[in-house]
Amino acid sequence: MTKWIYTFGDGSAEGAAEMHELLGGKGANLAEMAGLGLPVPPGFTITTEVCTHFTANDDAYPDGLEVDVDAAMAHIEGIMGAKFGDVENPLLVSVRSGARASMPGMMDTVLNLGLNLETVEGLAKRSDDARFAYDSYRRFIQMYSDVVMGVGHHLFEDILEDIKEDKGYALDTDMTADDWKAVTENYLAMVEDERGKPFPQDPKEQLWGAIGAVFGSWMNNRAITYRRLHNIPADWGTAVNVQAMVFGNMGDDCATGVCFTRNPSTGENQFYGEFLINAQGEDVVAGIRTPQPLTEAEKTEQGSDLPSMETEMPVLYCDLVAVREKLETHYRDMQDMEFTVQKSKLWMLQTRNGKRTAKASLKIACDMVAEGLLTQEEAILLVDAQQLDQLLHPTLDPDAERDIIGRGLPSSPGAASGKIVFSADDAEAWVAKGEKVILVRTETSPEDINGMHVSEGILTTRGGMTSHAAVVARGMGKPCVSGAGDLRVDYDNKQLMAMGEILDEGATVTVDGSSGEVMRGEVATIQPELTGDFGQLMEWVDEARVLGIRANAETPVDAATARKFGAEGIGLSRTEHMFFDPARIVHMRQMILATDEPARREALDKLLPYQREDFLQLFRIMAGLPVTIRLLDPPLNEFLPHTLEEMEEVAKAAGADVSAVRARKLELDEANPMLGHRGCRLGITYPEIYEMQGRAIFEAAAAIVKGGETVEPEIMIPLIVDKPEFDMLKDVVDRVAKEVEAAEGVTLTYLVGTMIELPRACLKADTIAETAEFFSFGTNDLTQTTYGFSRDDAAPFLEIYRSKGVMPKDPFMTIDTEGVGELVKIGCERGRGVRPDIKLGICGEHGGDPASVRFCHDIGLSYVSCSPYRVPIARLAAAQAAIKTDPHKQPENR
Amino acid sequence: MTKWIYTFGDGSAEGAAEMHELLGGKGANLAEMAGLGLPVPPGFTITTEVCTHFTANDDAYPDGLEVDVDAAMAHIEGIMGAKFGDVENPLLVSVRSGARASMPGMMDTVLNLGLNLETVEGLAKRSDDARFAYDSYRRFIQMYSDVVMGVGHHLFEDILEDIKEDKGYALDTDMTADDWKAVTENYLAMVEDERGKPFPQDPKEQLWGAIGAVFGSWMNNRAITYRRLHNIPADWGTAVNVQAMVFGNMGDDCATGVCFTRNPSTGENQFYGEFLINAQGEDVVAGIRTPQPLTEAEKTEQGSDLPSMETEMPVLYCDLVAVREKLETHYRDMQDMEFTVQKSKLWMLQTRNGKRTAKASLKIACDMVAEGLLTQEEAILLVDAQQLDQLLHPTLDPDAERDIIGRGLPSSPGAASGKIVFSADDAEAWVAKGEKVILVRTETSPEDINGMHVSEGILTTRGGMTSHAAVVARGMGKPCVSGAGDLRVDYDNKQLMAMGEILDEGATVTVDGSSGEVMRGEVATIQPELTGDFGQLMEWVDEARVLGIRANAETPVDAATARKFGAEGIGLSRTEHMFFDPARIVHMRQMILATDEPARREALDKLLPYQREDFLQLFRIMAGLPVTIRLLDPPLNEFLPHTLEEMEEVAKAAGADVSAVRARKLELDEANPMLGHRGCRLGITYPEIYEMQGRAIFEAAAAIVKGGETVEPEIMIPLIVDKPEFDMLKDVVDRVAKEVEAAEGVTLTYLVGTMIELPRACLKADTIAETAEFFSFGTNDLTQTTYGFSRDDAAPFLEIYRSKGVMPKDPFMTIDTEGVGELVKIGCERGRGVRPDIKLGICGEHGGDPASVRFCHDIGLSYVSCSPYRVPIARLAAAQAAIKTDPHKQPENR
């Protein structure tokens, strides 16, 4: 016969954590704690299978369920020494839903169930607190009427307000026992009036009412919509949890508190928490009464004058310390626990892995290995890779005051202060005068690179997490807040409008790229410390991981940062970023304005020495490691100026007419530049550009080789859709390589491959791999085209999608494994099918996102490449992926 | 033992047409003709397998090949009664390459091989024409030296020029026999000088030199590049064809000519052609001598005073008539033949299916069925679907003079003349005054629709074959030339700059959308005639095809046109086109400028009656047929004005401030609108828009149903990437349907489906099909995102791709079966996997392209939808696809 009910309490349980499909998340966790022998208020779980039966059979229960529920209630009564519906010593229970995954839209909780006009009196007597009893009763009536009987809670609030007004009370705490009693009477009358039948007095009727409401709520519209949006099958069902109520507010032998098994701020192995005598759980967090410290050490540390639990309730404190040890040993992680003391008995209400700072996380992980509690691998899994970012950038002093004037997206972590300027040129000019600046733009473009480089931080009023500003700032490790939609830039007057206020150029602001906040004035920051724990964990991480980690970098500073953070090469060097320096942009523009190939070559010849020097520096910094260089990618228009004034300058410098500059700009103007004349399409149109870049690479490589060092350039041709494109450009590169080899008398080792960043390239990967020696998946562009989402424009509607629950995750942040991921997999499979040893990497923004790194590990890529500042995160995420998927490394399922 | 050589001639052949893999295209065709018993100059083919052997074995031939070649030469000598290298009666041969597919970059042809200092004298004697003999010899020396020995042809031209200068000759015809002899001597001396060895005198050495050159040219760089670009495997190899030379210029008993088995202009069953006595093939086409008519009928018809072949060479004419009958019966198609008469003997040099006008094509197909030569199915296959387009639009009078001032892409067929105007508003104003206009724009946008409607034709200077102008013009059946890059529009001065000339507003031009030409002034046109043959063929077509054919239409005019051309419903009605009418755009803009939902609803309420009326008209015109309506798709910015003046008007009309209009426009501005806030993303953001459209559709449908008619609206939600998006909007539509049903007291039949137009939608088609009731593949957008090609911007680089051989076909014209096609197939398979009876269609521009229609048939779509004017083409292409793939319908392989 099917078992419909699983009981727990009194140090044992019929269920356990791994039975969450049958018992739901909450039921499984309660069972686990009880099974450990912890003092959990007894209760039982009605399984999800009952829900399925209920739904399939017109809201009817399986035969025999009522008998089972009676038995389970008797089990609770036995443990609690109280009786459900008993006038003298009434047992009260809570009824809660509990699906496999927490699911808004369903009935949540009814507390204090079992109270009626008689039992409330019994509760008053036993607690010796009539006010407590009637307060509990009115709460029960309101909750039950709302969620089970569908009586709107404003009707209850109206009644309460009326009484408080009558009495002239301001606060609920002014209410006496008689006042609450009057409230309950009015509530009962109102509910009967509204529903045409009395509020149930029979506790058993109340219980079945609540159980039915939970199961019924599984099929309500909100729940159905939620499930549809989140792909949760309707046949999963929800469980129902019925559990004895315990009270921490029944007198001075009662208390309630929260505690951590270790210090969540520092990670020190020190019991830590706070509690309140004669109080309910809400009171600890509500902040009306100041909580007391848990331990004497804490009391000293905080300079508190309140007595600690350690001294005031020494026996119970010892009980709690025992629980602390048991839970940490069992869960092998720092725990965040809630407890209640009722009449000098300790009850554990909840335990879960505790939230902690990044610093604490590292310390706990390292300490637990030293204590022999965890293996290195387990310690690696304990640290949240995403959170590591906190440690690598300056952060705002948590104690400093903040005058927030706007909010945007937290696009590049870290905090910085400076004077606002509104153009890249101004940024350079102000910095030259010794000022620290924050560059403020509606959005940035490649020509702003130099200005971004000298700024402390970047603020834009448009653009998403993967807008130009965000991507470049992350690459530079500079704080960036992007898409701050409530701020407005007035370039003409050099002003920033913020919530009705105006900030002129030169006003000081602080941007927090970790929270997205923009603040007036300078806010103190704390510099990152890469402590010993960080170094220790990173050593273990590198032993564990399989995936290589490279960085996206093109400047010597970025490359050096990347190497410092442990990058094993460069996975993406965007050569276009090298053309914006004032000394170079002139020749670049000359090249673009040239009307024939000889004129283009003349301009390119002038760029060659710069490019060669760029690569020479990169090769030196990355000595012995692979360096992937992407040939020119963006549309040429990005290099031309916007204003007439600038055009005149350009015309002068390039020896052209200003009308020619304007005409060329107009000619290059595109409706959708992202899908326009860029990438290899430029190389096909003007092979001499790629030829110059190839020559610069090979001449730099030749210089390195002549110096006795090794170098492995990997030349990457962007935006390929088919083999003929690739072959034509590979021919150009190979020819130049031969020419340089002949001229320099050296033999060069290099690869020519492509960026796979369009759906068609994934589908044609088999033919492309016939000649391409490596693939690097450009998942930024691939996400754009697979979804048809422009990353410069998607922020507004992605926010709407998120808020309406249509698309909970931003596919530019974490790779979409179903769509984009399938294309990447197809690309890998087809590429390997033709060239089994093909080097496969990823160089989109996803390379620094832990969930995406996991995906890259799973599909067997050779490496991921990410912003220099995300290299440690990627290393950790790669190690976690390796451990989670390697049965030899995986910790036992305890 | 492998057979390396296949001979032909004297009424028989060892090879045949189907052996083209072994014999190459040319060899197989020569064998086929000879096998029919036709008088083909004898010869032999050395197979492609010899080429493979040659390439694989360091340019060595298989053992025994020399013996086989000798035998084959003897075979030719026997038939021709001449001997290779014989001084008295020398046999001359041609040597030609012949791969499976014609392949530029390889050695092509050497004629007159076998001539040397002795045989040239023999030829002079036998032909009694020393001038002819030495002219032939010098041609041979030059050709052979160029293609076999690599001596540049300019050296030969220099020698010839020198001699002509010495003699004071202007033309080659001034040269005497002795002059040519002197030329040959100088040639031979120069070649020896250049190559350090004499030009071969031994005919056998000449022959092997030429054979080796053909096989060697298979692996030259140009051929390798060509093969790589066209995916031709290197192991295919080329064949070599050696064939006896025949001469039509050996005296008055010689002649040469070309002829068609039927009239290629009209299709009439009438022998047709022209010939010249004592001439070479080149002379007929060169235009120096006027060719004579073939038949007496022709002579009369053309009013020629030259004698016909029928009277002048009656016996040979009879021979030719016999050949005509044999060939037409054999190939069962109109043939284009070349013949030469040498010394009163007829030689057939070539036959191929003849090119013909669309009108002729229809007549020939219908006549051949009537004559019992073809079945209906075979006749259907005989007509080029693409060519049918000629019949459906006005065409330029071929006799009219043309003053071409520019060229662009032939974007929408037909020709039209009018006065140029530079804005849609001006177009409307001029037409209101009774003028005919051509609308000239750099590019068009949806707000130009009304102006396009009233214009005779459209000319743009930017944009490709699938730019807005091109797509809309094709939909309207109006001529359009797009992307005319050598023209320039100056809006400020209302001028069109054309090759240095300036045309002011009001100047008359003619555009030919079938050729892409733009002409000054009015050029006479010929109106289309849908003759009886057209109707006849279309009847057969509809019997044969499986695929349904619908049209893309939203105006009553387009819908009526579509129905007239045989559309079986509407596959795409773009509702946004309905909002640009001046009476409506005001409310549309009001809606866009609204700052909250009530204000948006107020504006939408005003649009509702217009939309309802639109649908009512469509439903009436398409009575009984399905109508697919796509809900609002383009970004809202497209509906806002560009100039300050217009913005002021809009502000006034919408009761808003002009700064608010400007701010909203700025807010809606996107970097890549194609990938921006459009399609279902608008529906998710402003569900009230789709709600209004749904209401308009259902209220119109209700009116139809109440009138006792049936209607089947198919509501299409655009730009879906995942199921939750679709479901949220389907809910809106279903809810509105219920409300209208309740209010109107009717039951409505409708489907809700989606446009599959993004790669991710194809991949997620399984989950989307759980709720979507039909898919329509939007292959325009799918091509854009699969390739990362913006169709508004791709024209310039696609032209470069085409010219460099990187991408021979424009994927916006013919569906890319490998990339886009694979995604469509994936979408179909996954959709059908979940919903086996799902309706699958295509509504991109590809729906009217015959090759794409074939693909749609092959993957089993339910229907294709195309511009109204392409409906007949799609019907024919669908029939051809059905016949070609159905073994029961397919003609035998004869």
Side-chain angles (χ1 to χ4, degrees), chain B residues 3 43 53 136 151 188 289 340 370 421 451 460 464 477 510 589 596 627 630 632 638 652 664 721 746 774 831 878:
Chain B
K3 182 168 172 60
H53 184 283
S136 300
V151 181
L188 291 172
R289 289 167 57 190
T340 282
V421 293
T460 70
T510 299
R589 287 168 171 171
D596 59 16
V627 175
R630 179 177 73 184
L632 192 71
E638 290 198 3
K652 212 173 139 195
R664 180 68 170 145
V721 297
V746 293
F774 66 87

Side-chain angles (χ1 to χ4, degrees), chain B residues 55-226:
Chain B
T55 306
N57 295 281
D58 277 333
D59 298 1
Y61 297 106
D63 288 342
L65 185 71
E66 202 177 332
V67 177
D68 292 351
V69 167
D70 287 347
M73 286 300 287
H75 165 85
I76 301 178
E77 290 171 338
I79 295 168
M80 294 302 285
K83 221 173 137 47
F84 195 50
D86 188 73
V87 179
E88 294 303 315
N89 187 13
L91 171 69
L92 304 185
V93 296
S94 63
V95 178
R96 291 180 169 96
S97 64
R100 288 197 218 176
S102 131
M103 225 181 77
M106 280 168 56
M107 197 205 94
D108 188 19
T109 302
V110 176
L111 298 177
N112 304 341
L113 190 140
L115 283 176
N116 59 21
L117 293 172
E118 292 176 335
T119 54
V120 70
E121 286 295 338
L123 182 65
K125 266 181 222 146
R126 275 199 75 84
S127 65
D128 198 17
D129 189 345
R131 187 183 181 284
F132 157 72
Y134 281 97
D135 184 15
S136 300
Y137 190 28
R138 66 100 192 181
R139 286 175 198 264
F140 166 59
I141 299 169
Q142 178 172 351
M143 257 190 239
Y144 188 94
S145 303
D146 182 9
V147 302
V148 181
M149 304 176 76
V151 181
H153 58 89
H154 65 278
L155 296 171
F156 296 94
E157 278 149 23
D158 289 350
I159 291 172
L160 179 55
E161 285 310 308
D162 286 350
I163 290 187
K164 279 162 73 179
E165 206 170 308
D166 278 357
K167 301 273 181 176
Y169 295 161
L171 299 170
D172 285 6
T173 45
D174 297 335
M175 300 279 285
T176 65
D178 285 342
D179 294 334
W180 284 127
K181 189 171 180 187
V183 167
T184 58
E185 284 157 5
N186 289 1
Y187 276 10
L188 291 172
M190 181 274 286
V191 170
E192 183 162 358
D193 204 45
E194 282 289 317
R195 283 288 161 267
K197 60 177 183 184
F199 184 90
Q201 287 296 318
D202 175 9
K204 210 168 155 181
E205 184 185 344
Q206 293 172 357
L207 179 63
W208 283 100
I211 292 170
V214 172
F215 285 139
S217 71
W218 179 252
M219 293 306 288
N220 76 25
N221 284 334
R222 278 174 59 212
I224 290 171
T225 302
Y226 184 88

Side-chain angles (χ1 to χ4, degrees), chain A residues 725 764 801 818 822 830, chain B residues 725 764 801 818 822:
Chain A
E725 276 178 318
K764 297 284 291 175
Y801 270 40
E818 294 176 15
E822 179 173 2
R830 296 188 181 177
Chain B
E725 275 178 319
K764 298 284 291 175
Y801 271 40
E818 296 176 13
E822 179 173 0

Side-chain angles (χ1 to χ4, degrees), chain A residues 362-642:
Chain A
L362 285 176
K363 181 160 177 55
I364 291 169
C366 291
D367 283 358
M368 283 187 170
V369 173
E371 292 160 21
L373 196 60
L374 297 183
T375 64
Q376 284 180 20
E377 280 80 13
E378 289 166 331
I380 288 170
L381 294 182
L382 214 59
V383 180
D384 176 3
Q386 201 64 269
Q387 208 188 9
L388 213 59
D389 211 19
Q390 285 179 13
L391 292 180
L392 310 172
H393 302 275
T395 47
L396 285 184
D397 182 345
D399 299 330
E401 271 193 30
R402 303 175 191 200
D403 175 8
I404 294 169
I405 56 170
R407 277 194 177 78
L409 299 168
S411 296
S412 177
S417 305
K419 295 180 173 175
I420 56 173
V421 293
F422 296 96
S423 79
D425 288 346
D426 287 342
E428 291 189 89
W430 284 58
V431 169
K433 289 186 298 178
E435 301 283 2
K436 292 192 164 188
V437 303
I438 301 289
L439 177 60
V440 184
R441 303 281 302 164
T442 49
E443 52 200 331
T444 63
S445 66
E447 62 186 307
D448 296 323
I449 295 274
N450 289 324
M452 294 171 78
H453 251 298
V454 300
S455 302
E456 303 299 310
I458 292 112
L459 167 62
T460 70
T461 55
R462 283 214 222 144
M465 297 289 286
T466 50
S467 62
H468 177 267
V471 172
V472 173
R474 282 199 292 275
M476 294 176 174
K478 279 190 201 294
C480 175
V481 173
S482 71
D486 40 0
L487 300 183
R488 213 161 281 276
V489 171
D490 179 346
Y491 284 128
D492 292 340
N493 298 310
K494 296 195 174 183
Q495 288 178 329
L496 180 65
M497 264 80 76
M499 297 175 176
E501 289 184 68
I502 292 175
L503 280 82
D504 289 310
E505 182 182 42
T508 298
V509 303
T510 299
V511 292
D512 184 352
S514 308
S515 70
E517 287 170 352
V518 183
M519 289 142 281
R520 178 196 288 281
E522 185 166 345
V523 180
T525 54
I526 298 170
Q527 288 306 306
E529 280 176 49
L530 302 182
T531 67
D533 291 326
F534 176 83
Q536 175 64 77
L537 190 85
M538 283 294 132
E539 261 179 44
W540 298 339
V541 155
D542 287 344
E543 284 171 34
R545 74 186 156 85
V546 177
L547 210 49
I549 309 292
R550 299 195 195 177
N552 300 347
E554 41 276 331
T555 65
V557 173
D558 288 349
T561 305
R563 192 135 203 195
K564 184 183 82 187
F565 279 131
E568 299 162 315
I570 289 179
L572 174 62
S573 176
R574 288 154 291 209
T575 51
E576 60 269 19
H577 286 187
M578 299 166 170
F579 292 120
F580 285 100
D581 182 90
R584 305 170 177 202
I585 188 88
V586 178
H587 307 305
M588 189 66 187
R589 287 169 171 171
Q590 211 171 357
M591 192 276 290
I592 295 168
L593 294 170
T595 50
D596 58 16
E597 191 185 318
R600 265 194 305 278
R601 287 191 178 273
E602 198 184 315
L604 287 166
D605 284 348
K606 292 184 194 139
L607 286 169
L608 176 65
Y610 293 109
Q611 280 265 287
R612 187 171 51 219
E613 183 56 30
D614 292 332
F615 298 132
L616 203 54
Q617 289 194 41
L618 285 186
F619 293 159
R620 284 195 177 123
I621 293 167
M622 286 288 156
L625 297 176
V627 175
T628 306
I629 297 161
R630 179 177 72 185
L631 301 184
L632 193 70
D633 181 57
L636 296 181
N637 226 9
E638 290 199 3
F639 300 96
L640 291 183
H642 300 289

Side-chain angles (χ1 to χ4, degrees), chain B residues 147-393:
Chain B
V147 302
V148 181
M149 304 176 76
V151 181
H153 58 89
H154 65 278
L155 296 171
F156 296 94
E157 278 149 23
D158 289 350
I159 291 172
L160 179 55
E161 285 310 308
D162 286 350
I163 290 187
K164 279 162 73 179
E165 206 170 308
D166 278 357
K167 301 273 181 176
Y169 295 161
L171 299 170
D172 285 6
T173 45
D174 297 335
M175 300 279 285
T176 65
D178 285 342
D179 294 334
W180 284 127
K181 189 171 180 187
V183 167
T184 58
E185 284 157 5
N186 289 1
Y187 276 10
L188 291 172
M190 181 274 286
V191 170
E192 183 162 358
D193 204 45
E194 282 289 317
R195 283 288 161 267
K197 60 177 183 184
F199 184 90
Q201 287 296 318
D202 175 9
K204 210 168 155 181
E205 184 185 344
Q206 293 172 357
L207 179 63
W208 283 100
I211 292 170
V214 172
F215 285 139
S217 71
W218 179 252
M219 293 306 288
N220 76 25
N221 284 334
R222 278 174 59 212
I224 290 171
T225 302
Y226 184 88
R227 282 200 294 275
R228 201 178 54 206
L229 293 176
H230 294 84
N231 269 319
I232 297 175
D235 60 10
W236 275 13
T238 181
V240 175
N241 298 292
V242 179
Q243 191 178 18
M245 294 290 307
V246 292
F247 298 95
N249 55 347
M250 271 185 167
D252 286 345
D253 54 354
C254 300
T256 191
V258 296
C259 51
F260 295 86
T261 56
R262 302 192 184 214
N263 186 316
S265 300
T266 63
E268 275 173 284
N269 190 355
Q270 173 193 66
F271 200 21
Y272 184 93
E274 44 195 26
F275 84 115
L276 277 172
I277 303 277
N278 193 14
Q280 282 188 297
E282 301 94 277
D283 302 333
V284 180
V285 285
I288 298 169
R289 289 167 57 190
T290 306
Q292 300 167 232
L294 203 69
T295 66
E296 281 301 291
E298 229 174 299
K299 179 181 157 83
T300 312
E301 203 176 283
Q302 295 169 0
S304 170
D305 51 9
L306 297 169
S308 71
M309 188 180 183
E310 192 173 352
T311 53
E312 213 169 4
M313 291 179 154
V315 176
L316 286 161
Y317 176 75
C318 278
D319 289 352
L320 197 58
V321 168
V323 169
R324 172 201 177 198
E325 274 156 24
K326 191 166 226 166
L327 283 174
E328 237 196 35
T329 315
H330 179 70
Y331 286 107
R332 309 163 87 228
D333 195 357
M334 188 265 272
Q335 295 297 298
D336 167 359
M337 313 174 295
E338 288 177 24
F339 65 90
T340 282
V341 175
Q342 179 178 313
K343 306 268 176 203
S344 296
K345 172 153 177 55
L346 176 69
W347 294 103
M348 296 307 300
L349 303 182
Q350 181 168 280
T351 189
R352 56 186 170 191
N353 295 338
K355 291 207 190 315
R356 67 207 75 177
T357 62
K359 198 178 151 194
S361 183
L362 285 176
K363 178 157 179 57
I364 290 169
C366 291
D367 283 357
M368 284 187 170
V369 173
E371 292 160 20
L373 197 60
L374 297 182
T375 64
Q376 284 181 18
E377 281 80 13
E378 289 165 332
I380 288 170
L381 294 182
L382 213 59
V383 180
D384 177 4
Q386 201 64 269
Q387 209 188 6
L388 212 58
D389 212 19
Q390 286 178 15
L391 292 181
L392 310 172
H393 303 275

